[in-house]
């Protein structure tokens, strides 16, 4: 991995600014994704990410003229992935869409009774701001505008002026009322109008979109679905590129609970129960995912997975080795481990700095045999 330099340095200053719509824990680095897509595919190929999270893989695929299929069980991951795939072609289009949403907000913001909003959600916002946020999400929901919903989710909480909440952290929703007491920082608790913030956010998203030619609706297929039952045809994908969940190293539901609430998942515990992250069931569920990946891959095609070794509570779980060893059997002998590269993740790249959850990442590359004998089952 070192010779490829895949993990070194930051790619944030060069990647599409559409990759920065909203934060996501465990996000793949778009530079690595780009290199792998270029290496393994050609324009027009279908690339699947069954655990798409913030949609880094599908967006890079589309920007490079490939086609993108994706699943994720989290409505937040689905919203970001679909929002990127359905991003407006240019800034003028984006501004026009935002204008329609803001007119809706003006008309409907006073319709909302804040007593129907959970108290913990209310505690993050000035009531006037909260009414505007509710109206904006209602518009996105009605119009199925995942791009604007993703942008809203990206400015939901933080203490910076461009965000909508009272002072809070950005990745994970914690109020910072002790660090910024209301008596000392009253301006941080004032009404934060949505219009100027979302407009600036849209402009940031298009500062360097890297869209050369906008793809059409046939170029992507994004689903809110379980990777254990992929809703795609047998032998339909040219390449699978993904970073699967690693045991319980990251809390995809809890850490996104405020964004999930606005997107229609009021109880994050319910999502957490469904994700493939629990220690007791992780291996058996991942085997089902591997079998599905093998089923949808075209014979002779590759699957590349970025996986991490997890250290928690004094135990080390090497997800890469576990998946590397189980893929062959799980796929009925169809997937063979082609190569495994390992690298130490620089501390600045870790999702949780200062913790020892994930120190090394592996790139596993599997190949599906040309003579697959697997049964043809379709969940499409
Ligand atoms: C490591 S993250 C993927 C991050 C993504 N590569 C990115 O760059 O943003 C793993 C994802 O798997 C999703 N997930 C966990 N179990 C799943 C399942 N059984 N089916 C589909 N998605 C699942 C989580 O919601 C999470 O978004």
């Amino acid at each position: 991995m070192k010779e490829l330099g895949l993990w070194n340095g930051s790619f944030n200053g060069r990647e599409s600014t559409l990759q920065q719509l909203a934060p996501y824990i465990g996000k793949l680095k778009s530079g690595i994704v780009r290199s792998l897509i270029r290496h393994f595919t050609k324009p027009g190929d279908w690339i699947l990410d069954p655990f798409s999270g913030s949609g880094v893989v599908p967006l890079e695929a589309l920007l490079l003229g490939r086609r993108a299929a994706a699943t994720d069980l989290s409505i937040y991951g689905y919203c970001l992935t679909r929002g990127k795939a359905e991003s407006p072609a240019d800034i003028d289009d984006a501004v026009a869409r935002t204008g329609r949403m803001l007119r809706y907000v003006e008309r409907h913001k006073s319709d909302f009774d804040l007593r129907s909003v959970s108290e913990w959600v209310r505690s993050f916002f000035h009531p006037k701001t909260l009414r505007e946020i509710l109206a904006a999400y209602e518009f996105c929901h009605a119009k199925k505008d995942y791009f604007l919903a993703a942008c809203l989710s990206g400015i939901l909480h933080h203490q910076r002026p461009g965000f909508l909440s009272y002072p809070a952290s950005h990745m994970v929703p914690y109020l910072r009322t002790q660090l910024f007491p209301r008596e000392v920082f009253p301006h941080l608790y004032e009404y934060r109008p949505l219009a100027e913030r979302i407009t600036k956010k849209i402009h940031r998203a298009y500062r360097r979109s890297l869209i050369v030619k906008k793809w059409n609706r046939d170029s992507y297929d994004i689903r809110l679905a379980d990777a254990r039952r992929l809703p795609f045809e047998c032998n339909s994908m040219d390449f699978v590129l993904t970073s699967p969940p690693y045991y319980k190293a990251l809390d995809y539901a809890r850490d996104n609970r405020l964004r999930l609430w606005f997107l229609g998942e009021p109880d994050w515990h319910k999502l957490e129960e469904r994700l493939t992250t629990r220690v007791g069931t992780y291996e058996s569920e991942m085997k089902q995912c591997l079998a599905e990946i093998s089923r949808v891959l075209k014979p002779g095609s590759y699957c590349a997975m970025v996986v991490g070794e997890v250290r928690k509570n004094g135990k080390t779980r090497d997800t890469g080795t576990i998946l590397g060893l189980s893929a062959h059997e799980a796929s009925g002998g169809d997937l063979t481990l082609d190569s495994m590269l390992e690298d130490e993740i620089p501390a600045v790249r870790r999702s949780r700095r200062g913790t020892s959850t994930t120190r090394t990442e592996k790139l596993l590359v599997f190949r599906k045999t040309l003579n697959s004998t697997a049964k043809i089952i379709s969940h499409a």
Side-chain angles (χ1 to χ4, degrees):
M1 203 74 84
K2 287 228 167 57
E3 38 311 346
L4 294 174
L6 291 178
W7 260 260
N8 299 336
S10 167
F11 203 72
N12 289 0
R14 281 176 287 155
E15 71 178 0
S16 166
T17 40
L18 290 170
Q19 292 290 20
Q20 297 159 10
L21 291 189
Y24 206 86
I25 46 168
K27 196 173 162 183
L28 272 175
K29 204 169 159 184
S30 58
I32 298 176
V33 170
R34 226 159 224 256
S35 317
L36 294 171
I37 290 177
R38 284 212 172 100
H39 183 76
F40 284 100
T41 67
K42 55 185 188 317
D45 278 358
W46 274 103
I47 299 173
L48 166 67
D49 185 346
F51 303 100
S52 69
S54 67
V56 172
V57 172
L59 179 62
E60 290 307 317
L62 292 166
L63 289 169
L64 290 169
R66 276 67 167 170
R67 290 181 289 177
T71 54
D72 202 289
L73 261 180
S74 157
I75 182 77
Y76 179 47
Y78 172 71
C79 170
L80 292 187
T81 305
R82 193 161 160 191
K84 288 178 183 181
E86 296 183 348
S87 52
D90 54 36
I91 182 65
D92 294 340
D93 190 6
V95 167
R97 261 158 84 166
T98 311
R100 285 194 287 279
M101 181 181 79
L102 290 174
R103 285 192 288 282
Y104 182 93
V105 170
E106 272 312 297
R107 281 200 307 278
H108 294 279
K109 62 185 180 190
S110 47
D111 299 352
F112 294 90
D113 179 354
L114 297 189
R115 284 172 302 184
S116 63
V117 176
S118 308
E119 209 179 315
W120 72 272
V121 175
R122 262 187 282 155
S123 71
F124 277 85
F125 305 98
H126 188 285
K128 266 176 87 178
T129 311
L130 180 54
R131 283 202 173 83
E132 294 182 358
I133 299 172
L134 290 167
Y137 272 105
E138 186 173 81
F139 173 90
C140 295
H141 190 71
K143 299 285 176 200
K144 292 195 174 8
D145 196 322
Y146 292 92
F147 168 74
L148 285 176
C151 291
L152 278 169
S153 305
I155 56 167
L156 211 48
H157 51 89
H158 203 329
Q159 66 262 11
R160 291 208 191 128
F163 291 74
L164 297 164
S165 70
Y166 294 145
S169 45
H170 189 31
M171 290 297 284
V172 181
Y174 287 114
L175 280 167
R176 290 193 160 153
T177 43
Q178 294 207 330
L179 195 61
F180 301 102
R182 199 184 272 260
E183 316 76 71
V184 186
F185 300 93
H187 63 284
L188 294 181
Y189 294 82
E190 284 167 5
Y191 161 54
R192 297 187 176 209
L194 169 68
E196 60 194 67
R197 289 173 174 78
I198 192 72
T199 305
K200 282 189 181 151
K201 171 76 191 169
I202 301 295
H203 282 275
R204 287 200 296 278
Y206 279 84
R207 209 179 51 228
R208 187 181 56 246
S209 78
L210 302 186
I211 297 177
V212 179
K213 182 172 176 289
K214 185 66 190 181
W215 46 89
N216 58 36
R217 182 64 194 86
D218 302 338
S219 305
Y220 60 89
D221 191 349
I222 314 290
R223 312 279 190 104
L224 180 62
D226 196 323
R228 286 175 289 162
R229 280 178 68 83
L230 289 174
F232 305 114
E233 296 288 344
C234 196
N235 300 339
S236 58
M237 299 295 155
D238 296 285
F239 182 45
V240 171
L241 175 54
T242 194
S243 59
Y246 328 145
Y247 282 97
K248 240 196 108 29
L250 300 173
D251 294 308
Y252 305 105
R254 193 189 63 181
D255 288 0
N256 293 313
R257 59 192 180 275
L258 194 54
R259 295 176 272 251
L260 285 165
W261 191 92
F262 284 100
L263 291 168
E265 181 83 70
D267 185 357
W268 59 270
H269 298 92
K270 287 197 178 141
L271 171 63
E272 185 163 89
E273 279 164 27
R274 297 169 61 223
L275 296 175
T276 299
T277 52
R278 283 157 305 156
V279 173
T281 50
Y282 179 82
E283 284 184 43
S284 63
E285 292 189 13
M286 276 311 297
K287 280 184 185 166
Q288 289 175 269
C289 298
L290 286 164
E292 278 293 90
I293 287 172
S294 169
R295 180 181 66 76
V296 301
L297 257 184
K298 287 182 183 168
S301 297
Y302 290 90
C303 163
M305 285 188 177
V306 178
V307 290
E309 161 232 75
V310 179
R311 287 181 206 179
K312 241 188 167 184
N313 307 330
K315 281 190 183 165
T316 301
R317 293 199 168 86
D318 183 353
T319 320
T321 305
I322 292 166
L323 298 183
L325 292 174
S326 51
H328 191 72
E329 190 201 316
S331 62
D334 279 358
L335 281 185
T336 309
L337 188 62
D338 193 77
S339 53
M340 179 151 77
L341 300 160
E342 186 168 353
D343 199 18
E344 182 107 353
I345 313 170
V348 290
R349 262 270 299 136
R350 285 187 211 142
S351 301
R352 291 257 168 92
R353 291 176 210 179
T355 71
S356 57
T357 47
T358 303
R359 285 214 184 124
T360 60
E361 274 179 353
K362 286 191 171 80
L363 175 71
L364 303 183
V365 180
F366 299 98
R367 185 158 191 228
K368 181 171 172 179
T369 175
L370 279 166
N371 312 307
S372 166
T373 53
K375 277 192 259 140
I376 305 211
I377 311 161
S378 174
H379 303 304

